[in-house]
């Protein structure tokens, strides 16, 4: 495997896979390592939480 190979997390099969995998619409990624791809759902949750709590991007109109 090449050092620059990207990895993906398949949402259908719930598995880490290389570039040659399921269709892109069913995957999260790319990630730089299989280990990061295995954490795809956790990473997505962390990013969503950070965006939800970012006051520069908070579009909750009820706070006005």
């Amino acid at each position: 495997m090449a050092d620059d190979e990207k990895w993906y997390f398949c949402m259908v099969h719930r598995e880490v896979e290389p570039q040659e995998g399921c269709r892109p619409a069913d995957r999260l990624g790319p990630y730089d390592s299989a280990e990061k791809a295995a954490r795809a759902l956790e990473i997505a949750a962390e990013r969503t939480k950070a965006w939800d709590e970012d006051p520069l991007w908070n579009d909750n109109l009820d706070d006005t």
Side-chain angles (χ1 to χ4, degrees), residues 8-17 22 26 28 37-38 41:
Y8 300 82
F9 182 79
C10 176
M11 299 292 291
V12 173
H13 300 106
R14 304 298 235 203
E15 293 180 358
V16 173
E17 58 189 28
C22 293
D26 293 332
L28 298 175
L41 296 176

Side-chain angles (χ1 to χ4, degrees), residues 14-50:
R14 304 298 235 203
E15 293 180 358
V16 173
E17 58 189 28
Q19 177 72 34
E20 304 77 28
C22 293
R23 66 189 193 118
D26 293 332
R27 303 190 303 178
L28 298 175
Y31 295 92
D32 292 332
S33 68
E35 292 78 17
K36 282 187 181 178
R39 291 187 54 241
L41 296 176
E42 183 181 341
I43 292 169
E46 290 168 358
R47 290 177 179 168
T48 298
K49 185 175 190 275

Side-chain angles (χ1 to χ4, degrees), residues 51-64:
W51 292 332
D52 286 346
E53 295 174 354
D54 185 337
L56 296 176
W57 293 102
N58 188 347
D59 58 359
N60 186 351
L61 299 177
D62 295 334
D63 291 344
T64 59

